[in-house]
Amino acid sequence: MTAETKPTKPARPQQRRPDLDTVFSVNDDGSRNFIHTADVKGPWQTRKTAIHLLLLAIYFIVPWLEFGGHPLIHIDLPGRQAFLLGQTFTNQDFYLMFFLVTGAGFGLFVVTALWGRIWCGYACPQTVMVDGVFRKIERWFEGSREKRLKRNAGPWTFDKFWRKAGKHIVYLALATISAHTFMSYFFPIRDLIPAVLSGPTGHTTAFLWALFWTGMLYFDYAWFREQTCIVICPYGRLQSTLTDADTVVIGYDENRGEPRGKKGADGVGDCVDCFRCVQVCPTGIDIRNGLQLECIGCTNCIDACDAVMTKLERPKGLIRYDSLRGFNGEKKRSIFRPRVGLYAFLGILGLTVFSVTALSRSPFEVRILRPKGMPYTLQETAIQNLYNIRIQNKTGIDRTYYVEAGESEKGDDLRFVISQTKVHIPTLEDATVPVFVDLDRSEYTANFPIHFVVRDSLGGAAKTIEATFRGP
Ligand code: SF4
Ligand code: SF4
């Protein structure tokens, strides 16, 4: 009788560990390694959730708010105008965008130089939507990370089907709402809703844009997720140039944690290599490998590791917010470094130029347009000049303007015929007022300056504009 041999268990494939040479969310064959983050709780999650909720509320409420009869924040691309907190900007104010964008950009640089990618973790719309909304929905429908992984590896059952279908229906509904909210920053929401309700034939352009953005957001939030941060977003790549040894980042205290080993083993550090910090990471990296481009500063690994340390009755903070100097055991950290000063100066400069120029802009513009190739006409006894006075109302309300003759060296010898002394101009529109000016031939010796005055009926602001009276 032959001895019965015990069947050997197939060897478990070795779990892939994140490293510095590969992107963990991409497999060796180029396929997607979809990351299922584990649940995590802790004080940083509470703070982050509160900020995400506040930002979501702002994002969805702002399109409904108005100031002075216009949306609070709105960019009207076809109309070449924009509204920001009660200020109206026309295409002529477009240069101000440079100062606003550079001011805000350098402001973000200051924040990054001081606190690393705090923007990505707390305020970036991508993180707020994916981490703050879509991953939570996934959790509600499909359960914890372990359950999701097990169900995904198993066969299709009714349970698996309804959970996945339910999740994607809610995803699609939220992507639709989010896309329409995004569009309402460019297309007033009170016009957008009827346009959407009128169907594809009622407003085809709005429908196609809505379809495009809904598809993009659904693709991003449901599937692409952290790939946007890793592959597309340029900000992560700038990180290494904006930070230094004094920047506060999320990091692992190697001096305290290494060498890793089980609790109670001799000569080991505090890291028990439980892998919790990796399982909760939405970009799939191992923070113990050092600061990496993929880290979006979400704080998940801090709370996860603190919970492990609490269980082990060890001090928290093996993974924490600290500067590289702090992680190296240096006590002193410098906040006011030359780079912070330079970024702050450029940021304040940009925002100051934008604010001062925006607030001191004239509420209306006046220009004189002369008919081409016809500087004057000769009449029997007089010389006649034609001036087209173009008035642009740059305010957010309809205004009335008065056009008058101004001073001139010829005084009463000049005869003004103003086609419209009172002109009503709707908000952000312009009007042209032709003015004929006559002078007796005998009075003319050489070209001379004349003036027109345009007065705003509200507030009485006046502009005097100079032109030249021409003759033979
Ligand atoms: S969670 Fe903390 S203890 Fe666990 S592997 Fe990460 S660093 Fe080590
Ligand atoms: S390393 Fe930590 S902070 Fe960075 S993305 Fe991963 S979990 Fe978030």
Side-chain angles (χ1 to χ4, degrees), residues 422-441:
K422 181 180 175 184
V423 52
H424 183 76
I425 307 179
T427 172
L428 300 177
E429 291 196 10
D430 55 58
T432 302
V433 178
V435 179
F436 292 95
V437 183
D438 286 12
L439 178 71
D440 285 345
R441 284 185 181 208

Side-chain angles (χ1 to χ4, degrees), residues 145-379:
R145 175 179 190 265
E146 292 68 33
K147 283 185 184 160
R148 294 201 300 270
L149 289 172
K150 198 172 160 196
R151 194 179 292 109
N152 285 351
W156 275 97
T157 59
F158 177 69
D159 177 70
K160 183 171 174 175
F161 174 78
W162 83 257
R163 286 177 193 278
K164 296 241 177 244
K167 179 183 82 172
H168 282 283
I169 288 168
V170 176
Y171 277 0
L172 205 52
L174 285 176
T176 307
I177 295 170
S178 185
H180 284 80
T181 305
F182 174 70
M183 282 174 59
S184 64
Y185 283 87
F186 302 88
F187 195 103
I189 197 145
R190 287 168 217 287
D191 299 334
L192 183 65
I193 290 173
V196 169
L197 295 179
S198 69
T201 48
H203 204 305
T204 311
T205 312
F207 174 78
L208 290 176
W209 274 114
L211 201 65
F212 171 77
W213 283 113
T214 301
M216 285 291 286
L217 295 185
Y218 173 70
F219 168 77
D220 183 32
Y221 299 155
W223 191 77
F224 205 55
R225 295 188 172 180
E226 76 289 340
Q227 298 301 293
T228 301
C229 313
I230 298 170
V231 182
I232 295 176
C233 178
Y235 177 55
R237 283 167 173 73
L238 280 178
Q239 178 181 232
S240 56
T241 59
L242 299 174
T243 57
D244 54 27
D246 290 300
T247 303
V248 172
V249 291
I250 293 175
Y252 165 71
D253 191 339
E254 211 176 304
N255 294 328
R256 188 184 141 190
E258 300 294 313
R260 303 163 197 177
K262 289 210 177 333
K263 189 186 180 189
D266 283 342
V268 295
D270 276 352
C271 176
V272 289
D273 205 16
C274 64
F275 226 54
R276 271 287 291 159
C277 51
V278 179
Q279 287 172 348
V280 298
C281 180
T283 62
I285 60 170
D286 187 340
I287 191 70
R288 295 171 298 170
N289 292 334
L291 185 64
Q292 292 152 71
L293 177 155
E294 292 98 324
C295 176
I296 57 167
C298 73
T299 69
N300 287 5
C301 53
I302 300 183
D303 280 332
C305 190
D306 278 352
V308 174
M309 291 298 117
T310 306
K311 256 192 206 158
L312 297 171
E313 296 177 344
R314 288 175 181 169
K316 292 177 182 177
L318 179 57
I319 297 177
R320 62 177 184 271
Y321 272 117
D322 206 339
S323 64
L324 288 184
R325 287 195 202 287
F327 285 117
N328 288 334
E330 292 176 40
K331 289 268 176 286
K332 266 201 155 178
R333 176 183 158 247
S334 163
I335 293 177
F336 301 105
R337 291 107 67 193
R339 71 167 64 218
V340 176
L342 180 67
Y343 298 155
F345 170 74
L346 292 172
I348 291 169
L349 183 70
L351 293 178
T352 306
V353 172
F354 170 76
S355 312
V356 171
T357 315
L359 293 174
S360 58
R361 283 170 310 147
S362 168
F364 66 102
E365 291 293 340
V366 183
R367 280 169 63 201
I368 290 193
L369 308 170
R370 303 290 300 259
K372 270 192 189 150
M374 199 178 71
Y376 56 87
T377 50
L378 288 175
Q379 300 186 333

